[in-house]
Amino acid sequence: MKAHYITICLVFSQLMALAQIAPSEYSWEKNPTYSNISDEFTNEDRVALYVFERYEYFHNEEGNLFVFQTIHKKFRALNHKAVNQLNTLSIEIGNGVELLDIKARTINENGKVVDFDKSSIKEVTDDESRDNYKIFAIDGIEVGNDIEYIISKKIPSDYFGRTYFQYAYPVLKAKWELSSPTTLLYDTKAYNAPIQLKSELGEKRNIYTAEMNHIPALKEEKYAFVNPRRARIEFRLAYNKGQGNFPILTWDNVAQRIYENNYILQAKDYEVLDKMIANIDVSSNNLEDKIASIEEYLKKNILIQEFHHPDFEDLEFVSKNKVSSERGILKLYVNLFKKLGIQHNIVVASDRDVFPLDKDFSSWDYLRKYLIYLPAIDKYIAPGNFEYRLGVFPPLLGATNGLFVHLVQVGDFESAVAHIKEIKALDYHDNYDHMFIKMDLNVDEGTTHIITERCFKGLSGGYFKQFYNMMDEKAKAEFIKNIMASKFGKPEYKEMTTHEKSKHEQAKDAEFIIYADVESEDFMEMAGNKILVNIGESIGPQTEMYQEEERKADVVNDFKRWYIRTIHFTIPKDFSISNPEVADLNVSHEMNGESVFKFESKHRIEGNQYIVEIDEFYDEIYTDKKYFEAFRKVVNAAADFNKVVLILEEK
C-alpha cells in the first residue's frame, strides 16, 4: 500500500454512513501449542509457522475509502541469528498510517507463554528518510522459542496491492484475506506458485482469500532477482458497481490520466515553453541532434529531486526555480517535443528486479518509472536520470514490458491511448568497457611500466562523464584512480587523465576515456634465472562465480555488455617466452548457431611484441537455468585469465 507516481482519484457515488467502524475481531490461540517441526529445516535460521495478512476496506462518513490492515505472524527461532532478528520489530507510521494495536508473545518448548510489555514501545525517526517508526523489543527470546505477534493498523486506501507468500525462510502456512463493500469488486492473480484463490460476493461484504501451505525458502543467487520469483498475489479494484457495470482502472484509463496530467496546459504554460525554446539550440535539421539539445539543456539547468511536490508540475515554477521531479520534468519534455512537432510516447514501466509489468493484469502498482520513446529514431530518454543521455536508460527498465502512451487526434479532439509492448534492451555493442594496454619491464629495477587506455560507452560506464564533469580536480583524480585500480601494491602514477577521443577503432564512439601511465613492482618476480610476468592481472580484477548448490533460478543479466582487451607486451631483449600459449582461452555458449556469451583470448607474436586480444561479451538478458553452467564458465574465464603468468627465459 504505497504512494505511486500516478495519482489515483476515484469518486464513489454511494456513501455508507458508518458511526463506529472498527476492524473485525481477530485473535490468536488462547492456549498456544508448541508443535514439532521437520528435521529438513535444520539448516534454516527460522521457520514461519503461520503468516496471515488481512485488508478490510470501508467507506467513512464522507464516502472516502480507508483500510484496516491486520498482520499475524508466528516464527520458530532455530539459532541465535534468528533470535537477534526477531527480538526487535519495527512498524512504519506516519503518512496516514495509524497504529491501532500490537500483541506479541513467546512460547517455549514446555508451553510457557510470556507476553511482551507494551510499555517498551518507542517511537523513532530515521535520520535519512525522516520516516517515523514504532519499535518494540520482545525480551527473553531463546533458541527454539516461538515468537508470535499481531499488528493492527489503519492505513490509507489504495486500489492496488500485493502480498508475499514466500520469503528467505520456509513458511508452513500462509493466508491472505481482503473484504470490501459489496459495490467494490476486485481481481486477484497468483504468481510463481499454485496459491488457492477464492472469492465470495455476499449481501453485506465481498470476501477474497488466498492460501498456500509448505512454501519453500527462496534464496538469493547471483545473476537472478529475488522479488519477481517470489510466490505472491496481486490484487486490484476492477469494478465500482456504485458507478456502473463497467471495468475501471484499465490501461486506457492510465493513458487518459497521463494525458490530463501532462498535456492540458494553461495560457501561461505556452509562454514558458516559448521562452525556453528560445534558449535551446533547435536549429539543426538533424532530428536526433535537436532532441539531444533539448535533453542536454534540461538536464544541465533543472535539478531533479527524488520526491514529488505539486509545484514540480507547474511549468512556470519549474522554469523559474530550476527544480522539479521525475514526474514534473516529464511534463516539460513532452510539451517541448509536442510544440516542436517531435513525435514521442510517454512510457511508464517498472524495474524488472522488482515486478515486471504484467500486460494481462492492469495493476497500476507496476507503473513507477518514466521514459520517453522517440519512434522516428527508435531511442529512449530517461527524463529523471541526470547521468543518462539520449539512447541510454536505466538497465532494469529494458528487456521488459512498458505502457506506451500515444497521442491521438480526431478532428479538434485530442486524447491518448495505451499499448503494452517490450522496451528493448540496448545491444551489447552499445555497452562496452574496452582496455588497450601496453606493458614493458625494467628487468634491472624489477618494475613494470603499464600504459592503459580504458574506454567506456553506455551502461558499462559511458555515463561516468556526467558525474566527472561536475567534480573538482581532487575528486576527479580520486575518481579515475579508483576506476583504474588493479594489482598495484606501490604504484607510481606518472600520468592519470581523461581523453576526449580514442584512436582505437573499437572505441571510436567511446563516451568516457581514462588514460593511465603507471609503474609498479607487483607484476614481475624473479624465479632463479627466469622472470614471471603476471600479464593476466593487467586487465584488473574479475568476478569469479561459484555454485555449490543446485541452480534454482534462470540467469538474468542487468544489461548486455561487451569487453575488448588488447595487451601489447614488449619482450625484454635477450629473453623469450617459454609458454606463449598460456593466454589462449576460448569459452562460449551458442544458441541457434550464434554465440550469446563468450570469452576468447588469443595471442600472437610480432617481433618483440607479445600481443593478446580478448573478446568477451554477453548478448542475452535471460538465459534458462539449464544453461547456467555454460554461463558460469564464461564468467569464470575472465577470472582464469587473471591467473595467466608468462615465463620469460634468457635466450
Side-chain angles (χ1 to χ4, degrees):
M1 299 296 176
K2 298 179 180 178
H4 305 302
Y5 293 102
I6 299 174
T7 304
I8 305 168
C9 179
L10 292 176
V11 179
F12 292 88
S13 58
Q14 286 191 342
L15 305 182
M16 297 176 64
L18 303 175
Q20 296 292 329
I21 303 175
S24 301
E25 184 177 350
Y26 185 85
S27 60
W28 51 29
E29 291 179 293
K30 185 176 181 181
N31 298 306
T33 57
Y34 185 92
S35 57
N36 294 323
I37 61 173
S38 171
D39 292 339
E40 67 182 289
F41 304 127
T42 302
N43 295 325
E44 300 290 344
D45 297 326
R46 64 169 125 166
V47 174
L49 306 176
Y50 185 60
V51 174
F52 173 77
E53 192 166 359
R54 180 175 68 189
Y55 297 96
E56 296 180 279
Y57 285 78
F58 292 97
H59 290 109
N60 62 18
E61 293 182 356
E62 290 74 34
N64 298 315
L65 273 182
F66 67 92
V67 185
F68 291 124
Q69 181 188 31
T70 301
I71 299 170
H72 177 196
K73 294 186 178 183
K74 186 176 183 180
F75 297 98
R76 175 74 51 82
L78 299 177
N79 57 29
H80 290 290
K81 180 179 178 181
V83 169
N84 292 333
Q85 291 171 336
L86 292 167
N87 64 10
T88 302
L89 300 174
S90 65
I91 305 165
E92 185 176 357
I93 58 175
N95 296 320
V97 176
E98 180 184 348
L99 181 62
L100 302 179
D101 192 22
I102 298 175
K103 293 195 296 183
R105 63 185 181 183
T106 60
I107 306 106
N108 71 14
E109 58 185 358
N110 297 318
K112 180 182 178 181
V113 178
V114 178
D115 294 312
F116 103 106
D117 183 0
K118 289 187 178 182
S119 65
S120 70
I121 297 175
K122 298 178 181 179
E123 187 169 331
V124 298
T125 300
D126 185 90
D127 291 336
E128 292 185 8
S129 67
R130 308 309 301 167
D131 292 331
N132 295 318
Y133 294 86
K134 295 275 190 180
I135 62 171
F136 60 95
I138 305 175
D139 296 325
I141 300 177
E142 296 180 353
V143 173
N145 284 177
D146 288 350
I147 299 91
E148 186 174 20
Y149 60 85
I150 297 176
I151 299 170
S152 179
K153 298 184 287 184
K154 181 179 178 182
I155 62 178
S157 71
D158 203 343
Y159 306 107
F160 313 93
R162 66 178 53 88
T163 292
Y164 297 113
F165 278 53
Q166 192 171 29
Y167 301 87
Y169 44 82
V171 178
L172 299 188
K173 184 178 182 62
K175 188 175 181 180
W176 167 87
E177 182 181 299
L178 182 152
S179 74
S180 69
T182 57
T183 54
L184 304 183
L185 304 182
Y186 283 79
D187 281 342
T188 59
K189 187 172 181 178
Y191 293 81
N192 303 318
I195 300 171
Q196 299 175 17
L197 297 171
K198 294 181 181 179
S199 60
E200 296 180 10
L201 306 183
E203 294 183 1
K204 295 183 179 180
R205 304 280 294 173
N206 297 328
I207 306 295
Y208 303 85
T209 60
E211 192 168 343
M212 186 176 177
N213 298 332
H214 305 295
I215 307 165
L218 187 64
K219 306 297 185 181
E220 291 189 4
E221 294 183 276
K222 280 190 174 182
Y223 294 97
F225 300 129
V226 171
N227 265 354
R229 297 187 288 125
R230 295 172 72 177
R232 73 182 197 276
I233 61 162
E234 301 276 345
F235 57 93
R236 62 176 297 274
L237 181 61
Y239 291 88
N240 176 15
K241 293 295 186 178
Q243 290 184 326
N245 191 27
F246 53 86
I248 60 174
L249 303 174
T250 65
W251 295 133
D252 283 332
N253 293 144
V254 177
Q256 189 58 36
R257 183 57 51 83
I258 287 175
Y259 175 79
E260 293 169 358
N261 288 346
N262 288 282
Y263 293 104
I264 297 178
L265 303 180
Q266 302 177 40
K268 65 175 185 175
D269 294 326
Y270 293 102
E271 295 178 8
V272 171
L273 295 173
D274 287 337
K275 290 179 181 178
M276 192 164 289
I277 290 172
N279 291 319
I280 305 173
D281 182 7
V282 291
S283 60
S284 175
N285 292 324
N286 182 287
L287 179 60
E288 187 164 336
D289 289 343
K290 186 179 294 188
I291 294 169
S293 292
I294 295 169
E295 180 186 27
E296 193 68 17
Y297 177 85
L298 293 179
K299 288 189 172 178
K300 284 190 173 181
N301 288 279
I302 298 176
L303 176 66
I304 304 301
Q305 299 285 2
E306 292 186 4
F307 63 92
H308 183 69
H309 187 278
D311 284 343
F312 293 164
E313 292 183 89
D314 183 324
L315 300 190
E316 187 176 47
F317 176 90
V318 173
S319 177
K320 180 180 178 181
N321 294 281
K322 309 299 182 187
V323 63
S324 188
S325 62
E326 182 181 25
R327 197 165 104 195
I329 200 66
L330 175 77
K331 183 175 181 179
L332 187 50
Y333 269 97
V334 298
N335 282 287
L336 286 170
F337 289 154
K338 182 180 178 183
K339 191 166 182 62
L340 292 167
I342 298 172
Q343 186 183 2
H344 61 279
N345 305 149
I346 293 176
V347 183
V348 201
S350 173
D351 289 315
R352 56 186 162 85
D353 66 329
V354 183
F355 305 104
L357 186 150
D358 180 354
K359 63 184 178 64
D360 298 319
F361 192 81
S362 57
S363 172
W364 294 12
D365 202 29
Y366 295 119
L367 307 179
R368 295 173 175 270
K369 299 291 179 67
Y370 292 103
L371 296 173
I372 302 170
Y373 178 60
L374 292 309
I377 58 174
D378 192 25
K379 290 187 176 182
Y380 294 85
I381 285 176
N385 297 84
F386 168 80
E387 65 269 33
Y388 301 130
R389 294 296 186 268
L390 179 62
V392 183
F393 54 91
L396 299 183
L397 297 183
T400 188
N401 285 330
L403 183 77
F404 287 67
V405 178
H406 306 251
L407 288 176
V408 292
Q409 190 90 31
V410 181
D412 293 333
F413 176 75
E414 184 181 70
S415 187
V417 295
H419 297 285
I420 304 286
K421 63 180 184 180
E422 183 185 8
I423 303 169
K424 292 183 179 179
L426 294 177
D427 187 84
Y428 78 90
H429 292 95
D430 295 320
N431 302 313
Y432 63 68
D433 174 0
H434 296 340
M435 295 177 73
F436 305 95
I437 302 164
K438 293 181 179 180
M439 297 180 67
D440 61 80
L441 308 180
N442 187 322
V443 177
D444 294 334
E445 295 186 8
T447 60
T448 307
H449 182 209
I450 302 176
I451 295 176
T452 303
E453 184 180 83
R454 190 168 182 180
C455 306
F456 302 93
K457 180 175 172 61
L459 295 169
S460 290
Y463 56 88
F464 290 158
K465 180 179 180 179
Q466 314 306 333
F467 299 114
Y468 183 79
N469 289 340
M470 298 177 64
M471 298 176 183
D472 59 32
E473 292 305 313
K474 182 178 180 181
K476 285 180 177 180
E478 192 64 27
F479 179 72
I480 60 178
K481 188 182 294 185
N482 288 337
I483 291 176
M484 298 301 290
S486 185
K487 187 180 177 180
F488 297 137
K490 298 178 182 178
E492 179 185 346
Y493 295 99
K494 295 179 176 295
E495 186 176 2
M496 189 82 78
T497 187
T498 59
H499 287 171
E500 287 298 316
K501 292 287 183 182
S502 174
K503 64 182 179 181
H504 300 281
E505 181 64 23
Q506 302 100 318
K508 62 182 180 181
D509 57 352
E511 296 160 334
F512 189 63
I513 301 169
I514 298 176
Y515 175 87
D517 186 339
V518 182
E519 276 197 3
S520 173
E521 299 176 356
D522 296 310
F523 281 83
M524 64 171 288
E525 59 180 296
M526 301 301 297
N529 61 348
K530 298 178 182 179
I531 301 175
L532 307 182
V533 182
N534 297 322
I535 191 172
E537 293 283 359
S538 65
I539 67 171
Q542 304 294 306
T543 299
E544 193 158 10
M545 192 171 180
Y546 300 97
Q547 185 81 11
E548 295 179 358
E549 298 180 356
E550 179 188 358
R551 181 74 180 188
K552 303 293 186 183
D554 291 339
V555 173
V556 183
N557 281 294
D558 286 358
F559 55 92
K560 300 177 182 182
R561 57 202 186 278
W562 186 25
Y563 308 92
I564 281 178
R565 306 284 190 256
T566 301
I567 305 169
H568 284 73
F569 171 68
T570 302
I571 305 170
K573 186 179 179 181
D574 300 326
F575 281 85
S576 63
I577 300 173
S578 64
N579 62 336
E581 74 290 341
V582 71
D584 295 340
L585 299 170
N586 191 348
V587 185
S588 67
H589 177 68
E590 290 188 356
M591 296 182 68
N592 301 319
E594 297 280 339
S595 292
V596 292
F597 29 89
K598 181 179 80 169
F599 181 96
E600 181 182 17
S601 62
K602 52 188 177 181
H603 86 280
R604 69 180 190 273
I605 297 176
E606 296 179 357
N608 69 341
Q609 293 294 303
Y610 178 82
I611 302 168
V612 180
E613 293 180 333
I614 300 172
D615 185 12
E616 179 185 4
F617 63 80
Y618 300 87
D619 194 24
E620 284 285 318
I621 298 293
Y622 303 102
T623 302
D624 192 292
K625 64 184 178 183
K626 65 184 178 182
Y627 302 121
F628 170 73
E629 188 58 27
F631 174 79
R632 190 179 73 87
K633 286 180 179 179
V634 173
V635 171
N636 284 347
D640 291 340
F641 186 83
N642 269 163
K643 302 165 189 173
V644 169
V645 176
L646 296 180
I647 301 174
L648 275 57
E649 296 180 335
E650 290 190 70
K651 295 180 181 178

